[in-house]
Amino acid sequence: MKAELISVGTELLLGNIVNTNASFLAEQCARLGISVYYQSVVGDNKERLSETLKTALSRSDVVILTGGLGPTKDDLTKETVAEVLGRQLVEDAHSRKRIEAYFAGSRHRIIPDNNWKQAQIPEGAIAVDNENGTAPGIIAEHNGKTVIMLPGPPNEMIPMFTISIAPFLNRLQPEVIYSQTVKICGLGESLVETMIGDLIDGQSNPTVAPYAKTGEVHLRITAKAPDKESAFRLIEPVSAELAKRFGNHIYSTDDKETLEESIASLLKKKNLTIATAESCTGGLVSGRLVNVPGVSDVFKAGFVTYANEAKTEFLGVSEETLRAYGAVSEQTAEEMARGGASKAGCDLCISVTGIAGPDGGTDDKPVGLVYMGCFLNGKVTVRKFIFKGNRSKIRENAVVNALIFVRDCILEDIE
């Protein structure tokens, strides 16, 4: 089954709003086993939207539109869809009651006349309840094709899709689609793809697809079967083979678990506490860790020591070390890690010091040079990195690799 996404709104074309809806819907369709071959962004213009919709219906089984369901005159999505499908707009009594209830529970109890427009749907279509706003979603069937209209605000669209639209689309499929994600860290996308080249070349059902992000590669195994249990049986041997090939580089097979969550779980499991000592990353490593609910059980302190004086005062880095080797050096990274662990009174400390640029680099110490130290059980291990890219990219790479370094040190200590 093929789906096409149409995002409606002039503000998207102008770049005033980032189109996160399309990203979310594309990913969700992939999880459902639905192929998305085309995506479009159309401004609030009836003629251009009509033309885009007609083209989408000519080549796709399902067309999903987001935006343009509001109460104002420039919200034209359902009016345009109704015209293309040759239907009249009619009031949906259930949606009208929900709009009344929505305003009854707000401090603005007077309902503007234009809000009643949101209770209008194309004749014969199905209204989908919106638990977070006044615009219902709409499902319209037409000549074997399906048009789905969703509200534009992500806090309305995402819950509606998850609760109502995803199950509807799943029912359209003749088979169950089931996926498992294998999350890998510490290996590049090219190497990972090389290591699974034979699996990709020989795949049919299930399939393996790589998705790369900074410092990580996610492998999604997807199987089609008559039921979930049969799909899982198809996935199981592939998952076992990936575990054999990538070993400890796999940090999770839970689609929702992040790298920092897996590290927090590992720290709790091993009864270890952690601190961070950061320079060029400016607290971003500790920021990732405190994303995890309950991390206070293991995370004790974060030191941001950007200036040399701060490294000496708060982490005990010696002035002699700084004079002899500089702030960006193996020796300073080691002393930062030891000092952070000592000051925080914890088992483990990760330190980061580097040159994020765009200035400050030399032939000996170029922009992108980063040293990291990891203190654990009285021992400090230091790693050297040279990252490429702008200041933001260098810092992003440093943060992810610091987390991976922490994980590696814990696993090596266990072994």
Side-chain angles (χ1 to χ4, degrees), residues 16-34:
N16 300 134
I17 297 177
V18 177
N19 191 3
T20 58
N21 284 347
S23 174
F24 171 82
L25 290 171
E27 183 177 8
Q28 295 303 310
C29 285
R31 291 181 180 182
L32 291 167
I34 300 171

Side-chain angles (χ1 to χ4, degrees), residues 132-149:
N132 301 283
T134 55
I138 301 168
I139 300 173
E141 304 280 359
H142 179 74
N143 294 338
K145 305 294 181 77
T146 303
V147 179
I148 298 172
M149 292 162 268

Side-chain angles (χ1 to χ4, degrees), residues 365-377:
K365 295 185 177 182
V367 170
L369 173 65
V370 177
Y371 286 97
M372 300 181 193
C374 185
F375 173 94
L376 179 58
N377 291 335

